[in-house]
Amino acid sequence: MTGRIASVAARPASRSQAAPLKVGVAGLGTVGAGVVRLLRSNAELLTRRCGRPVQVTAVSARDRARRRDCDLTGLRWCEDPLALAADADVDVVVELIGGAEGPAKKLIEAAIVAGKSVVTANKALIAHHGMALARAAEAAGVAIAFEAAVAGGIPIVKNLREGLAANRIQGIYGILNGTCNYILTEMRRTKRDFTAVLAEAQRLGYAEADPSFDVDGIDAAHKLAILASVAFGCEIDFAGVHVEGIRHVSALDITFAEELGYRIKLLGLARPTPHGIEQRVHACMVPLSTPIAHVEGVFNAVVTEGDFVGQSMAEGRGAGAGPTASAVVSDLMDLARGRALPMFGLPLADLAKLPAAPIGRRVGAYYVRLMVVDRPGVIADVAGTLRDEQVSMEAMIQRARAPGEPVPVVLTTHETEEAAMRRAVDRIARLDAVTEPPCMIRIETLETGAAG
Ligand SMILES: NC(=O)c1ccc[n+]([C@@H]2O[C@H](COP(=O)([O-])OP(=O)(O)OC[C@H]3O[C@@H](n4cnc5c(N)ncnc54)[C@H](OP(=O)(O)O)[C@@H]3O)[C@@H](O)[C@H]2O)c1
């Protein structure tokens, strides 16, 4: 029995004789150990549900001496993860090493060449090399399953490829990074600034020592590029994602947002537009009346909009050993049952190659916070600049008075095109009275479609 799609489908009539699906796990860190644990604790349940056992036969990691968060008794240890691809006692390779290049990529390529299906949680690798890997897998007749790569325990790939498959997906957006959501939630709850909350998140293990993948939006962008491909039936275009993080968001902005009836979230948003596929990751102000505004802490949520089903939201834990293992094992169960769908929902030849919509074409409302010297005429200069760029102001708030000193001034706009807004903000930033770079946050109404 191998991991080829056709051959995993063939199974004996009687469960007692059914051959197990033999699994090789590369990487025994947070997720790998979780997968080994889940497969052991729920072994009987999985056998009943799949009609055959799903068994780990061999494992690989860097350091054999390291204590693991799982029982490795009876499992063969491979010093080199590539050995799993060649191993006659492995039907399916589970790649949980991580990283867009290096051993993870080599292992998946070797597994495909050996005719074995692959399960991975590696969003960076799929976002960067998903198309090439899918081509190789399709040619070899094997599957690459990646439910765990997006939103951890939330089965959003399955939702899109199966439950919502009858719909034309008009938009998708979500909280795709639990670290950012935790930081923004704590900043609001405790009124502390980004740096202090990030340091605490690192102490608690919610943020990495190098947090840039998370707080600069890159991790969410990897996931968004994958989701957009599955949702819209197009090739992955990671380079087409406009990416911003949350470092510029201050406690002051979070307080103003609440006052204006919004909450600040790092969202990934994607939708087809007349200018191409819009894919963007950035901090957004979302109305307090929307369900996603109340998804707090490390939780993730994904909202899809289908032409017949309308909007639906799935919420859950986006990371951690248990939720991610749950997603990895659901992919293994599909393979054990002989079920495999095209990686991005369509055969590769049918995936559209769509242009990326430029961020300058985004139409929506904006929040801008300025620090300006409190003196006569400044507000008129700001308003004049907006008028020159034909940006229509909705409201302006100046709370504090401190003649001659910098004070915060907040303005919100009606719908406008981003290119005009940026021109206006650049000109405002150059005014003498403006003492630091303005903070601009897009307002997303989330009423219909994916955005604004
Ligand atoms: N953590 C999460 O909650 C989460 C959620 C969703 C997706 N993911 C994805 O899941 C994957 C794994 O993440 P993780 O958090 O479990 O990572 P991790 O805790 O850092 O574990 C990585 C594992 O890979 C092993 N490894 C590294 N280099 C290797 C090499 N050259 N050869 C063999 N083994 C090697 C390590 O071995 P040693 O233990 O011996 O050092 C370790 O066991 C990543 O792609 C990540 O993006 C993670």
Side-chain angles (χ1 to χ4, degrees):
M1 179 71 68
T2 75
R4 278 183 197 278
I5 298 170
S7 54
V8 284
R11 27 185 185 100
S14 148
R15 281 171 187 217
S16 57
Q17 299 161 4
L21 182 77
K22 292 182 276 188
V23 177
V25 178
L28 293 169
T30 306
V31 183
V35 167
V36 173
R37 237 178 16 247
L38 194 165
L39 286 173
R40 278 200 197 270
S41 359
N42 287 0
E44 227 176 277
L45 178 82
L46 300 189
T47 305
R48 269 188 281 127
R49 291 192 174 155
C50 299
R52 61 194 285 208
V54 180
Q55 270 172 9
V56 180
T57 49
V59 294
S60 177
R62 254 178 322 209
D63 179 0
R64 188 165 189 175
R66 192 162 169 184
R67 261 182 64 112
R68 302 285 165 189
D69 238 0
C70 59
D71 178 5
L72 298 179
T73 316
L75 306 183
R76 205 148 27 77
W77 179 275
C78 298
E79 288 299 332
D80 180 359
L82 287 186
L84 296 173
D87 195 321
D89 215 24
V90 167
D91 299 326
V92 175
V93 171
V94 177
E95 183 281 304
L96 300 169
I97 294 173
E101 312 293 335
K105 180 159 173 273
K106 287 202 182 95
L107 173 60
I108 294 181
E109 287 166 346
I112 294 169
V113 169
K116 290 178 185 177
S117 289
V118 172
V119 176
T120 180
N122 193 334
K123 51 250 174 177
L125 182 102
I126 300 291
H128 286 281
H129 303 295
M131 300 316 304
L133 292 172
R135 238 169 263 127
E138 198 174 279
V142 299
I144 300 178
F146 55 93
E147 183 63 70
V150 185
I154 304 174
I156 186 63
V157 175
K158 218 175 235 305
N159 271 358
L160 287 167
R161 274 196 316 209
E162 298 179 40
L164 300 172
N167 290 266
R168 210 175 284 281
I169 302 296
Q170 293 161 322
I172 186 159
Y173 63 86
I175 295 173
L176 300 173
N177 184 274
T179 304
C180 287
N181 206 40
Y182 171 83
I183 291 173
L184 291 170
T185 302
E186 285 305 294
M187 285 174 70
R188 181 180 61 78
R189 229 180 37 78
T190 63
K191 299 198 182 319
R192 283 178 302 161
D193 255 317
F194 172 81
T195 322
V197 176
L198 171 63
E200 183 191 75
Q202 286 170 318
R203 263 198 316 281
L204 294 171
Y206 293 144
E208 303 282 336
D210 175 2
S212 52
F213 254 49
D214 291 319
V215 302
D216 294 329
I218 299 157
D219 174 76
H222 286 149
K223 296 168 183 167
L224 185 71
I226 298 170
L227 277 183
S229 169
V230 181
F232 309 125
C234 56
E235 293 194 2
I236 291 184
D237 179 16
F238 175 67
V241 186
H242 175 83
V243 192
E244 296 171 20
I246 60 166
R247 291 183 200 261
H248 64 293
V249 177
S250 69
L252 191 59
D253 298 313
I254 290 177
T255 305
F256 274 120
E258 295 284 314
E259 214 174 291
L260 292 163
Y262 297 108
R263 195 150 284 175
I264 299 182
K265 296 288 175 194
L266 181 83
L267 293 190
L269 309 100
R271 65 174 173 176
T273 76
H275 314 292
I277 294 283
E278 182 179 88
Q279 300 182 86
R280 42 194 173 93
V281 170
H282 52 73
C284 300
M285 291 214 179
V286 298
L288 280 167
S289 57
T290 55
I292 205 161
H294 303 279
V295 175
E296 298 279 53
V298 294
F299 277 77
N300 283 19
V302 184
V303 178
T304 43
E305 177 148 347
D307 55 353
F308 275 70
V309 71
Q311 280 203 354
S312 61
M313 181 167 102
E315 179 184 352
R317 291 183 187 278
T324 315
S326 159
V328 168
V329 174
S330 84
D331 279 343
L332 285 171
M333 291 173 76
D334 274 347
L335 291 170
R337 288 161 161 158
R339 300 177 70 233
L341 291 172
M343 199 167 158
F344 304 109
L346 288 174
L348 278 182
D350 294 340
L351 290 179
K353 199 169 169 47
L354 299 171
I359 187 73
R361 303 305 293 261
R362 182 228 177 218
V363 174
Y366 292 82
Y367 157 101
V368 181
R369 178 188 43 84
L370 309 167
M371 295 303 292
V372 299
V373 179
D374 187 6
R375 67 174 184 236
V378 175
I379 299 298
D381 288 347
V382 170
T385 310
L386 292 171
R387 184 202 54 226
D388 291 351
E389 294 296 346
Q390 301 189 340
V391 172
S392 160
M393 193 158 60
E394 190 200 23
M396 185 177 272
I397 309 173
Q398 183 189 342
R399 287 273 180 278
R401 289 294 329 267
E405 299 292 320
V407 292
V409 168
V410 160
L411 59 93
T412 57
T413 74
H414 289 118
E415 282 210 341
T416 186
E417 197 171 54
E418 174 129 351
M421 192 64 214
R422 285 184 176 220
R423 280 196 304 272
V425 170
D426 286 349
R427 283 182 56 190
I428 289 170
R430 289 198 296 272
L431 294 174
D432 277 352
V434 173
T435 59
E436 58 181 71
C439 172
M440 181 181 96
I441 300 178
R442 298 171 189 86
I443 298 173
E444 301 291 341
T445 61
L446 307 176
E447 273 160 4
T448 55

mmCIF file of all heavy atoms in Angstrom, residues 151-153 298 300 316-324:
data_model
loop_
_atom_site.group_PDB
_atom_site.id
_atom_site.type_symbol
_atom_site.label_atom_id
_atom_site.label_comp_id
_atom_site.label_asym_id
_atom_site.label_seq_id
_atom_site.Cartn_x
_atom_site.Cartn_y
_atom_site.Cartn_z
ATOM 1 N N ALA A 151 -5.353 28.817 9.586
ATOM 2 C CA ALA A 151 -6.283 28.972 10.716
ATOM 3 C C ALA A 151 -6.367 27.724 11.595
ATOM 4 O O ALA A 151 -7.424 27.445 12.175
ATOM 5 C CB ALA A 151 -7.662 29.384 10.209
ATOM 6 N N GLY A 152 -5.252 27.011 11.732
ATOM 7 C CA GLY A 152 -5.122 25.912 12.697
ATOM 8 C C GLY A 152 -6.302 24.971 12.731
ATOM 9 O O GLY A 152 -6.550 24.239 11.767
ATOM 10 N N GLY A 153 -7.042 24.987 13.813
ATOM 11 C CA GLY A 153 -8.123 24.024 14.016
ATOM 12 C C GLY A 153 -9.395 24.315 13.237
ATOM 13 O O GLY A 153 -10.303 23.486 13.208
ATOM 14 N N VAL A 298 -6.245 34.859 21.419
ATOM 15 C CA VAL A 298 -5.503 34.107 20.383
ATOM 16 C C VAL A 298 -6.426 33.474 19.334
ATOM 17 O O VAL A 298 -5.958 32.767 18.444
ATOM 18 C CB VAL A 298 -4.633 32.991 21.010
ATOM 19 C CG1 VAL A 298 -3.526 33.586 21.849
ATOM 20 C CG2 VAL A 298 -5.477 32.015 21.811
ATOM 21 N N ASN A 300 -8.829 32.769 16.125
ATOM 22 C CA ASN A 300 -8.919 33.135 14.715
ATOM 23 C C ASN A 300 -10.381 33.062 14.284
ATOM 24 O O ASN A 300 -11.191 32.390 14.939
ATOM 25 C CB ASN A 300 -8.164 32.128 13.840
ATOM 26 C CG ASN A 300 -6.659 32.308 13.883
ATOM 27 O OD1 ASN A 300 -6.126 32.919 14.799
ATOM 28 N ND2 ASN A 300 -5.967 31.780 12.905
ATOM 29 N N GLY A 316 -12.287 29.756 15.895
ATOM 30 C CA GLY A 316 -11.645 28.716 16.694
ATOM 31 C C GLY A 316 -10.190 29.027 16.931
ATOM 32 O O GLY A 316 -9.718 30.112 16.594
ATOM 33 N N ARG A 317 -9.503 28.061 17.517
ATOM 34 C CA ARG A 317 -8.079 28.269 17.821
ATOM 35 C C ARG A 317 -7.259 28.103 16.546
ATOM 36 O O ARG A 317 -7.380 27.090 15.859
ATOM 37 C CB ARG A 317 -7.619 27.275 18.876
ATOM 38 C CG ARG A 317 -8.224 27.544 20.222
ATOM 39 C CD ARG A 317 -7.728 26.621 21.298
ATOM 40 N NE ARG A 317 -8.483 26.856 22.510
ATOM 41 C CZ ARG A 317 -8.228 27.840 23.378
ATOM 42 N NH1 ARG A 317 -7.204 28.635 23.174
ATOM 43 N NH2 ARG A 317 -8.988 28.003 24.438
ATOM 44 N N GLY A 318 -6.426 29.093 16.276
ATOM 45 C CA GLY A 318 -5.675 29.092 15.028
ATOM 46 C C GLY A 318 -4.301 28.469 15.139
ATOM 47 O O GLY A 318 -3.578 28.370 14.154
ATOM 48 N N ALA A 319 -3.917 28.058 16.338
ATOM 49 C CA ALA A 319 -2.583 27.476 16.518
ATOM 50 C C ALA A 319 -2.591 26.616 17.767
ATOM 51 O O ALA A 319 -3.619 26.485 18.439
ATOM 52 C CB ALA A 319 -1.540 28.578 16.634
ATOM 53 N N GLY A 320 -1.416 26.026 18.054
ATOM 54 C CA GLY A 320 -1.290 25.175 19.236
ATOM 55 C C GLY A 320 -1.318 23.713 18.831
ATOM 56 O O GLY A 320 -1.808 23.357 17.752
ATOM 57 N N ALA A 321 -0.768 22.867 19.719
ATOM 58 C CA ALA A 321 -0.604 21.449 19.389
ATOM 59 C C ALA A 321 -1.945 20.782 19.065
ATOM 60 O O ALA A 321 -2.088 20.126 18.025
ATOM 61 C CB ALA A 321 0.071 20.741 20.560
ATOM 62 N N GLY A 322 -2.932 20.934 19.926
ATOM 63 C CA GLY A 322 -4.212 20.224 19.755
ATOM 64 C C GLY A 322 -4.948 20.641 18.496
ATOM 65 O O GLY A 322 -5.251 19.798 17.626
ATOM 66 N N PRO A 323 -5.271 21.943 18.332
ATOM 67 C CA PRO A 323 -6.022 22.360 17.148
ATOM 68 C C PRO A 323 -5.288 22.032 15.839
ATOM 69 O O PRO A 323 -5.913 21.615 14.853
ATOM 70 C CB PRO A 323 -6.149 23.876 17.327
ATOM 71 C CG PRO A 323 -6.013 24.100 18.793
ATOM 72 C CD PRO A 323 -5.073 23.049 19.294
ATOM 73 N N THR A 324 -3.971 22.227 15.811
ATOM 74 C CA THR A 324 -3.261 21.994 14.549
ATOM 75 C C THR A 324 -3.201 20.500 14.253
ATOM 76 O O THR A 324 -3.382 20.072 13.111
ATOM 77 C CB THR A 324 -1.852 22.634 14.598
ATOM 78 O OG1 THR A 324 -1.978 23.939 15.155
ATOM 79 C CG2 THR A 324 -1.246 22.744 13.228
#
